Amino acid sequence: MTPGPATPAEALARAPHPTGGFRAGTAHPPRPRAVSSPPPPASTPRRPSAPTRRFLARATLLSAALSMAGALLGLGRDQALAHLFGAGAESDAFLVAWTVPEMASTLLIEDGMAFVLVPAFSVALARRAAQGAGSPDPVRALVSSSLPRLCLALAGTAALLAAGAPMLVSVLAPGLSDPSLAVSCTRLTATCVLSFGVAGYFSAALRAHRSYLAPGAIYIAYNLAIITAMFALGARWGVQAAALGVAIGGCLMAVVQAPPLWRRIARQPEQSVQVPASPHEGDGSRTVAFGLVCAVLLFALCRQSQVLIERYFASGLPAGSISHLNYAQKVAQLPMSLSMMVCVVTFPVVARAIAEGDTRRATERVERDLALMACLVLVGAAVVVAGAPQIVQLLFQRGAFTAQDTAATAAVMRVYALGLLGQTLVGALVRSYFSTGRTTWFPLGAMGAGALATAGISLWAVGPWGARGIAAANAVGITLTALLLLLGLGPRAVPVCVRRVVAELSRPVRAAVCATGAGLLCVRQFDSPAAAVAACCLCVTAVFLLLAWALDAAGARSLLLPVTQSVRSSVTRRLRHGR
């Protein structure tokens, strides 16, 4: 019988392992102490060096800048939706259809695809560096064996979703009075399953190659397409114009990444020393690869189920409740999106370190990232809690969005902000589990426990507290998941000291609580929403930074000391020059 094409795991398994047969997480032979020796000849290849702090800082700033641009355009998209269609039955119908691209984004761009492909491409790149110039390129083998199959599966899934749109809408939001508009929007947004999947594949491959420009720009193109479609066709098509914009924007996400990825895949691998393959390489690779894919996809689905739970319970509330939850969540999650850029940049670094057997470097990177991301998200959470009414009024209260919508959205947004640290920690910690490239079901169990808590609390709280009860259930559920993931770190993930991480996280939490109180006092002094928001941001940031310095949160003193010394040295030189 003629064998079928190789799976991605088999394509990787046929290439020799760069560590000479020792896998990440297993015992390594002691490295010999360095001795003086003549420099190697020019033809001898060298092992790729780890990215420097300067490179990581530049990549993080670039990704953060592009992410912020995309987030601001996403905010503009939500503002346009609120201005044109308000917070009523029409916008609720679109937001039910919006569930498809939300789930596709989590599964195929942000979590699922990245968790599987970034480690896979990291291993392929490490093996490319360990092979001779005449050997088959593991990176090209991975692409040729996985991308066509992925496109075929995604196209079939998109077609099934479009055909089954009536059934899907009835499951997602059974309380809608007129589901026909949601069905037509869902059929348009279903196309993003294919386009998001291709975009996520390209993003994972480029980030594994340490290329961050094109992956960071995808949401800029995506949101521009939606905004343009709403203003160009909204008067004629209504809210279906936004759904068409989703379909067009998904295609643009893949298009902007195709040229840079093609250039990197087509590049000839450098000549290097051939390393013999491990005798264990390939044993059970099909099972491990399939188990890893299932674990990642089920985790991402379970995480996205929180949105499904929200939409399900909110569909039975008065019209506009789904919209209030959506607008509150989008604004509240802006700080989380910014902080996650740290992890987006360093995840390929951690995966490459694991692929090369350097677990110590991976551990140090993960611990630093957790502390830094907590500081970034908690500053934003403090601003959101302190100035929620003014922020919503400034951003949305115009056109069809009324003052009552502002009050309802702000109340929900403050509750959402309480779960931002948990959301951020889940996104960071789960990468520690999947960066090893081994199958683990613990993240799925932790996320399942959080989802059950979200559903149970929503069922109990939706009656007395409405949308705020649903938001509180979301915050409790995701925080429970974060705690379980943190406590479960150990042999199944990148090994970190849990006690040290908890101690480090407690410092920015204390600083954020004090900064929130200062922000609440500050916003009361201003009548203008713009002035109140600006003063709140300045006050919260100043108080947080002072307390972060006092508590040395995330190593703030060591980070700011070089800046302080540079400023002091510059002032001293000027004074001496003035004499």
Side-chain angles (χ1 to χ4, degrees):
M1 182 180 295
T2 304
T7 64
E10 291 170 338
L12 289 176
R14 292 171 185 171
H17 200 277
T19 58
F22 289 90
R23 295 179 180 271
T26 61
H28 291 265
R31 296 182 180 179
R33 184 171 298 178
V35 296
S36 58
S37 59
S43 59
T44 302
R46 297 190 177 188
R47 189 178 187 175
S49 60
T52 63
R53 288 188 178 183
R54 181 175 297 180
F55 169 81
L56 291 177
R58 287 200 304 264
T60 302
L61 288 175
L62 174 64
S63 298
L66 293 172
S67 175
M68 182 56 65
L72 290 176
L73 284 171
L75 188 60
R77 173 202 68 210
D78 293 336
Q79 287 178 312
L81 184 67
H83 177 73
L84 295 173
F85 308 108
E90 195 172 8
S91 60
D92 284 355
F94 169 73
L95 291 174
V96 171
W98 180 260
T99 305
V100 176
E102 278 185 318
M103 293 195 67
S105 176
T106 300
L107 284 171
L108 304 175
I109 298 178
E110 297 168 6
D111 290 345
M113 194 74 72
F115 292 158
V116 173
L117 289 176
V118 169
F121 273 103
S122 298
V123 172
L125 288 168
R127 294 180 182 179
R128 170 193 273 184
Q131 286 185 347
S135 303
D137 185 3
V139 176
R140 298 179 192 173
L142 175 60
V143 173
S144 62
S145 63
S146 58
L147 184 57
R149 296 180 179 185
L150 177 69
C151 291
L152 184 61
L154 293 174
T157 304
L160 287 175
L161 286 175
M167 184 181 301
L168 180 62
V169 169
S170 65
V171 172
L172 292 176
L176 288 180
S177 57
D178 184 12
S180 59
L181 182 58
V183 170
S184 61
C185 289
T186 301
R187 284 182 171 141
L188 288 170
T189 59
T191 59
C192 71
V193 172
L194 175 59
S195 57
F196 279 25
V198 176
Y201 188 100
F202 290 173
S203 294
L206 286 170
R207 284 171 177 151
H209 283 82
R210 299 177 187 173
S211 175
Y212 300 97
L213 178 60
I218 59 176
Y219 286 108
I220 297 176
Y222 175 65
N223 288 319
L224 281 175
I226 299 175
I227 294 171
T228 303
M230 280 196 290
F231 280 105
L233 301 173
R236 180 183 304 176
W237 284 22
V239 80
Q240 294 180 78
L244 178 63
V246 170
I248 298 173
C251 297
L252 292 179
M253 294 169 80
V255 169
V256 298
Q257 297 181 99
L261 180 60
W262 172 255
R263 289 194 297 268
R264 282 160 179 79
I265 294 177
R267 183 182 303 167
Q268 293 295 329
E270 299 177 358
Q271 184 178 2
S272 57
V273 175
Q274 183 75 19
V275 180
S278 167
H280 304 288
E281 199 68 50
D283 295 344
S285 58
R286 179 191 296 270
T287 303
V288 172
F290 180 75
L292 176 62
V293 171
C294 288
V296 167
L297 292 181
L298 288 175
F299 168 82
L301 279 172
C302 193
R303 183 178 183 183
Q304 196 62 25
S305 68
Q306 287 197 311
V307 176
L308 302 181
I309 293 169
E310 290 180 7
R311 301 273 163 84
Y312 179 86
F313 285 104
S315 66
L317 295 175
S321 298
I322 294 178
S323 299
H324 297 152
L325 285 165
N326 173 75
Y327 295 134
Q329 187 181 56
K330 292 297 189 298
V331 177
Q333 287 187 348
L334 284 176
M336 186 195 73
S337 301
L338 181 61
S339 65
M340 287 301 297
M341 287 303 100
V342 176
C343 203
V344 167
V345 171
T346 59
F347 179 47
V349 177
V350 174
R352 187 67 178 267
I354 292 296
E356 295 173 353
D358 194 348
T359 55
R360 180 180 178 181
R361 175 159 58 99
T363 297
E364 293 174 350
R365 183 74 262 165
V366 169
E367 291 183 353
R368 285 197 298 266
D369 290 348
L370 289 174
L372 180 57
M373 293 169 68
C375 286
L376 292 174
V377 75
L378 285 171
V379 173
V383 172
V384 168
V385 173
Q390 292 80 10
I391 292 172
V392 177
Q393 183 180 358
L394 179 65
L395 295 177
F396 297 114
Q397 191 173 319
R398 60 184 60 88
F401 199 91
T402 65
Q404 289 76 15
D405 294 324
T406 294
T409 302
V412 172
M413 194 164 73
R414 278 177 165 160
V415 180
Y416 261 133
L418 301 178
L420 285 181
L421 179 60
Q423 294 275 7
T424 303
L425 291 179
V426 168
L429 290 169
V430 75
R431 284 167 168 80
S432 301
Y433 286 86
F434 292 128
S435 62
T436 61
R438 296 192 298 267
T439 304
T440 173
W441 299 98
F442 185 82
L444 176 61
M447 194 66 246
L452 287 176
T454 301
I457 298 174
S458 295
L459 180 62
W460 170 73
V462 68
W465 292 297
R468 287 178 296 171
I470 297 174
N474 183 296
V476 172
I478 200 65
T479 302
L480 174 62
T481 299
L483 291 174
L484 292 176
L485 289 175
L486 183 59
L487 294 175
L489 286 176
R492 64 175 64 88
V494 177
V496 301
C497 180
V498 176
R499 184 173 299 177
R500 182 167 61 241
V501 170
V502 172
E504 286 294 330
L505 292 177
S506 67
R507 299 175 184 178
V509 169
R510 285 177 279 168
V513 171
C514 297
T516 302
L520 286 170
L521 294 175
C522 181
V523 295
R524 296 176 182 175
Q525 312 304 318
F526 300 90
D527 295 328
S528 169
V533 171
C536 179
C537 292
L538 291 175
C539 177
V540 168
T541 303
V543 172
F544 186 91
L545 289 178
L546 287 173
L547 292 174
W549 174 275
L551 298 171
D552 196 23
R557 295 175 186 172
S558 60
L559 289 174
L560 296 178
L561 186 60
V563 178
T564 306
Q565 291 177 343
S566 176
V567 173
R568 184 181 303 170
S569 176
S570 176
V571 171
T572 304
R573 284 197 300 269
R574 290 179 182 177
L575 290 176
R576 289 177 180 175
H577 179 73
R579 293 177 184 176

